Amino acid sequence: SSGINAEYGGYRKVVSKFGKDILLPSGEIDRQKLGALVFGSRENREALNSCIHPEIAKIVRRRLILEFLKGTELVVLDIPLLFESCNIRPYMHSVILVYCTPEQQKKRLMDRNDFTEEAANARINSQWSIEEKKDLADHVIDNTGLFLETESQTKTLLAELRKGILPIRNILLLLFLFAVAVILYNF
């Protein structure tokens, strides 16, 4: 499943730009066909990004606000192109990068998606380098070793993040309540 179906806001824009040949019989967008078009052309990739990134940002912002109002303690977003797009960084307390070497990144992509080396390189080269992202992240989990090591780092970081959540939530909640009070007072 591509995640881009007819109910998704950017769907019509993507189909309009790239044509109905990119659709599966179910009506969903065929990720492999679309990938072949966008990872072979910077122009097509930028066109796709302009269709979907604003929609993704809206969905993420709405979801974060909903989770905040529900009192959710921690929300984890998996956004491979966070630094390149979406403009949602201001809504985040912390950015965590799960790091591996560029060679591991390519091998894992090839194994997971059954990509050729050329297809994997095209996708990797369309993004900022993992080293650039590493410099911008608030926290880095080293995923170059054993699973148990990665798991241990993740648990340690999660405990550290949970310590700082309550004070931030209380401050944000007070600001939200203050804003509502101001609106109601002026209404």
Side-chain angles (χ1 to χ4, degrees):
S1 163
S2 71
I4 304 175
N5 58 39
E7 288 129 29
Y8 172 73
Y11 175 89
R12 286 186 301 278
K13 292 177 187 175
V14 172
V15 174
S16 174
K17 172 64 183 165
F18 296 100
K20 292 188 177 186
D21 291 341
I22 64 165
L23 297 178
L24 294 167
S26 66
E28 285 191 320
I29 292 177
D30 184 328
R31 289 182 70 145
Q32 288 186 335
K33 285 183 183 176
L34 184 58
L37 293 172
V38 300
F39 290 109
S41 160
R42 181 181 179 145
E43 181 181 320
N44 282 346
R45 191 169 52 255
E46 289 174 357
L48 175 65
N49 291 345
S50 71
C51 290
I52 64 172
H53 288 172
E55 296 298 323
I56 291 170
K58 273 194 260 181
I59 291 167
V60 169
R61 282 191 299 266
R62 285 180 190 146
R63 186 60 188 244
L64 288 173
I65 291 167
L66 176 66
E67 294 301 325
F68 173 76
L69 294 174
K70 286 175 25 182
T72 302
E73 179 181 75
L74 187 66
V75 177
V76 176
L77 303 171
D78 181 3
I79 305 176
L81 300 176
L82 173 66
F83 296 112
E84 294 91 339
S85 63
C86 291
N87 195 24
I88 59 170
R89 177 65 174 100
Y91 295 89
M92 298 180 181
H93 174 267
S94 298
V95 172
I96 303 165
L97 176 75
V98 179
Y99 175 84
C100 64
T101 66
E103 295 78 23
Q104 287 174 314
Q105 186 181 18
K106 180 169 62 174
K107 181 178 181 339
R108 291 171 182 178
L109 187 58
M110 290 169 64
D111 290 347
R112 184 188 71 210
N113 294 32
D114 198 30
F115 285 156
T116 64
E117 185 172 355
E118 182 181 338
N121 282 332
R123 279 160 177 79
I124 291 168
N125 294 334
S126 72
Q127 301 178 20
W128 291 8
S129 77
I130 195 149
E131 296 301 328
E132 288 176 285
K133 293 177 182 183
K134 188 177 177 182
D135 290 340
L136 294 171
D138 299 307
H139 307 278
V140 177
I141 294 175
D142 184 344
N143 191 21
T144 59
L146 299 174
F147 175 79
L148 289 175
E149 295 167 340
T150 303
E151 183 180 43
S152 174
Q153 292 174 64
T154 303
K155 287 179 178 179
T156 301
L157 178 57
L158 182 58
E160 178 185 324
L161 290 173
R162 282 194 166 129
K163 286 180 191 173
I165 289 173
L166 190 56
I168 290 170
R169 180 181 295 143
N170 290 344
I171 292 168
L172 291 174
L173 185 56
L174 285 173
L175 289 173
F176 175 74
L177 292 173
F178 177 74
V180 169
V182 169
I183 291 168
L184 291 174
Y185 178 77
N186 290 320
F187 186 64

